[in-house]
Amino acid sequence: MIRGRPRGRTTPRCAAALLAGALAAAAALAAPAAAQDRFDGVRQQIRQLMTEQDLPSIAVAVAKDGRILWEEAFGWADREARAPATPHTMYSLASISKPITATGLMLLVERGHVNLDRPANTYLGTGRLTGHAGDPDAATVRRIANHSAGLPLHYQFFYENGGYGVPTMDETIARYGIVANPPGTVVQYSNLGFGILDWIVERVSGMPFAEFMRAEVFTPLGLTRMSVGPAPGLEPYMAARYDTRGRRVPFYDFDHAGASAVWASAHDLVRFGMFHLKNRHDGQRQILADSTLDAMQRATSPGAQNGVGGYGIAWNVTREFGLRRVSHTGGMPGVTTVLSLYPEQDLAVVVLANRNGAPVTRIAPEIVAAVVPAYEDSLRAWQQRSNPPSNPPGPRFEAPPELLGEWTGELRAWSGTIPVRMVFEADGDVHVRLGAQLVTLLNDAAFRNGNLTGRFAGTVPAPDIARHAHNIALNVWLRDGKLQGQASAMTTTDPVYYALTSYIELTRTPTGR
């Protein structure tokens, strides 16, 4: 039976009381208006971009040295209702939900209820991770949090007018919680992983995930306009979501709430960032130790060096014009967001938009440049050197000798296995046949460092996958004479519905073709 999970609920009276306290605290954190003059250039750029790209709204906030320097919103939170956006308007955050979920997870780690280096299956129920390309016990909680557990590409949107509901997490994990790569070997960004983490939080705490986050994270930090999904009493403050054609996106839910379902105002999100920068304010509890915050911001995923160049506990840790940046972005139907922290500069930057494809990653660096002179010098020098890319067509794919010939195997969907045949021709064509379906070409084929990617026409007949038209994105690795990895059914419709992944494995036939 397909059904939704119980959600934590906040009473309207409680939400109103918490909101009053937060708005009173806002004045104490805000900088004088005169201090905002440095952001006039950014403000002009935002207005120009909104006009050029017909954006419904953008909200920004920036804090430095424990003080909010600037927060402002532009445009409409809801065009149809003529509701203007404000710094306290709640935006859908998409993947910025991940470090927020991780903050809740780390509370349980500090309390000794979750061990980051234990298998995730230790904390799961009837839906458990399945090993295909590796040992599921090597898919630890830490590896899920840094996207190296071997879990595949996954996203799934359930629209209110779609005619079917959200499956239970046990059902989703049983179907799609597959180890498609050996844990600890490669980074594969996985929304499902953070759906699993929110399920672990729920199971271990004994509270619905949304309620745990409200009680243990949002309320102690004074974040009264932050919630997992729409909380009762806060619906009037939520921005509508719009697509690139200006159409209102129907409301939707997920089977990966911990990856995507948090809403927050720019004001509250920058205060969340300030907490992770170890800034403390009256009425805000220190819910995590500084050492835990440091551990979250140290990259541990494959390929990271000296704690930089990969994922820590949800955070992406990189260097940008010489500054260490701890950040996350978000993008999905009707949403584009960015949260960037610069710990050594004690700087937090938020840019939120209620339309997908909005240029928030162009705005955020301009805000940093307005605050950090050395960063501005590097940014301007880079802008002068950079030319718009011409995007010339790449060279035609040519299969290396180790791929030439026929490969056979199977695609293992949750509903059953399907035979697969691939033939790599000397002229660069790659022919694919899935089951008894027509032979098709692997488009956009590429082979780099043992990793074969491409896309082909085909249908996975699992009942949930077959709901919408899709093609199949291939992402496999050549290991020990086998091509193994993921075949993701990705919808080709508008709006986007899902990327649902099955395991695929092929072996080269001894006789060639």
Side-chain angles (χ1 to χ4, degrees):
M1 177 179 177
I2 293 180
R3 58 193 183 278
R5 284 189 288 164
R7 300 286 181 178
R9 310 297 282 176
T10 303
T11 66
R13 180 179 297 176
C14 178
L18 292 171
L19 175 60
L23 294 180
L29 289 173
Q36 299 179 16
D37 292 346
R38 74 179 81 180
F39 300 109
D40 282 345
V42 184
R43 189 180 288 109
Q44 293 173 14
Q45 292 180 52
I46 290 172
R47 288 172 174 153
Q48 181 177 348
L49 287 169
M50 290 186 62
T51 299
E52 291 174 352
Q53 300 195 21
D54 191 28
L55 302 176
S57 74
I58 287 177
V60 300
V62 54
K64 188 171 187 339
D65 300 328
R67 190 173 182 83
I68 297 176
L69 299 181
W70 177 44
E71 54 182 12
E72 189 170 353
F74 307 80
W76 300 105
D78 187 322
R79 279 176 162 168
E80 291 76 18
R82 308 303 287 175
T86 79
H88 299 284
T89 297
M90 296 176 68
Y91 286 77
S92 176
L93 298 185
S95 287
I96 294 178
S97 302
K98 293 178 173 70
I100 296 172
T101 295
T103 302
L105 172 72
M106 295 306 287
L107 284 169
L108 298 177
V109 171
E110 282 197 350
R111 295 169 187 173
H113 301 318
V114 173
N115 185 326
L116 288 175
D117 297 310
R118 292 287 301 277
N121 276 342
T122 303
Y123 306 101
L124 298 180
T126 57
R128 299 172 69 81
L129 304 185
T130 303
H132 285 304
D135 180 2
D137 283 346
T140 62
V141 177
R142 184 187 304 277
R143 284 174 170 163
I144 288 178
N146 70 17
H147 298 289
S148 70
L151 295 173
L153 174 70
H154 182 95
Y155 54 82
Q156 192 162 197
F157 305 117
F158 296 87
Y159 296 91
E160 61 184 354
N161 58 356
Y164 52 90
V166 183
T168 67
M169 277 308 298
D170 280 327
E171 289 172 310
T172 292
I173 295 169
R175 292 176 178 181
Y176 298 108
I178 59 175
V179 177
N181 285 297
T185 60
V186 299
V187 173
Q188 171 60 66
Y189 190 86
S190 179
N191 289 307
L192 178 57
F194 278 78
I196 290 170
L197 293 184
D198 87 59
W199 187 226
I200 289 174
V201 168
E202 184 162 318
R203 286 179 52 81
V204 171
S205 70
M207 299 170 64
F209 174 63
E211 177 62 20
F212 177 87
M213 294 298 291
R214 184 199 63 79
E216 299 288 347
V217 178
F218 306 151
T219 298
L221 295 182
L223 307 177
T224 57
R225 287 203 182 177
M226 184 177 285
S227 66
V228 179
L234 295 179
E235 295 94 339
Y237 309 110
M238 297 170 64
R241 295 182 284 212
Y242 296 89
D243 66 16
T244 55
R245 287 189 276 178
R247 301 174 303 181
R248 195 183 187 102
V249 177
F251 186 82
Y252 55 85
D253 205 348
F254 318 85
D255 62 359
H256 44 80
S260 312
V262 178
W263 293 69
S265 67
H267 176 77
D268 272 11
L269 186 58
V270 82
R271 294 184 70 224
F272 172 81
M274 293 163 73
F275 167 74
H276 276 268
L277 291 173
K278 306 175 187 174
N279 300 142
R280 304 288 180 256
H281 301 288
D282 292 341
Q284 188 178 68
R285 284 169 40 200
Q286 184 174 341
I287 61 173
L288 292 177
D290 286 351
S291 58
T292 298
L293 300 178
D294 290 338
M296 293 178 70
Q297 297 174 23
R298 185 168 53 250
T300 56
S301 59
Q305 296 182 350
N306 300 318
V308 178
Y311 285 95
I313 305 299
W315 291 112
N316 186 21
V317 187
T318 58
R319 288 206 177 275
E320 182 181 78
F321 299 133
L323 307 186
R324 185 169 69 94
R325 181 180 68 178
V326 177
S327 66
H328 218 293
T329 59
M332 61 188 187
V335 182
T336 320
T337 57
V338 63
L339 167 62
S340 294
L341 311 180
Y342 300 85
E344 282 72 33
Q345 288 69 39
D346 198 6
L347 175 66
V349 173
V350 167
V351 187
L352 309 176
N354 55 340
R355 198 206 77 182
N356 48 296
V360 297
T361 55
R362 291 168 57 185
I363 297 167
E366 296 296 336
I367 295 175
V368 180
V371 179
V372 183
Y375 181 99
E376 181 179 23
D377 293 343
S378 297
L379 176 64
R380 301 300 175 229
W382 175 81
Q383 289 172 337
Q384 290 177 6
R385 292 193 305 268
S386 301
N387 295 314
S390 58
N391 293 323
R396 179 178 173 81
F397 174 74
E398 293 184 9
E402 60 266 34
L403 291 183
L404 284 173
E406 180 187 62
W407 295 69
T408 57
E410 60 187 19
L411 181 149
R412 302 177 194 170
W414 68 266
S415 58
T417 60
I418 309 166
V420 181
R421 179 176 180 265
M422 296 182 66
V423 178
F424 294 83
E425 303 281 6
D427 64 2
D429 282 351
V430 184
H431 300 276
V432 185
R433 186 171 192 182
L434 181 62
Q437 298 172 34
L438 295 175
V439 175
T440 187
L441 287 174
L442 183 68
N443 296 307
D444 303 320
F447 186 70
R448 302 182 185 91
N449 301 317
N451 180 214
L452 175 70
T453 58
R455 190 180 300 267
F456 64 93
T459 301
V460 178
D464 53 342
I465 300 177
R467 287 177 178 144
H468 301 284
H470 59 269
N471 57 27
I472 299 174
L474 188 70
N475 186 348
V476 296
W477 293 80
L478 181 59
R479 297 189 184 100
D480 300 324
K482 295 181 179 180
L483 288 170
Q484 55 182 204
Q486 51 187 317
S488 303
M490 303 178 70
T491 54
T492 56
T493 53
D494 183 13
V496 172
Y497 285 92
Y498 52 70
L500 298 175
T501 299
S502 304
Y503 179 71
I504 189 170
E505 182 174 299
L506 302 101
T507 304
R508 194 176 188 179
T509 58
T511 57
R513 291 174 227 171

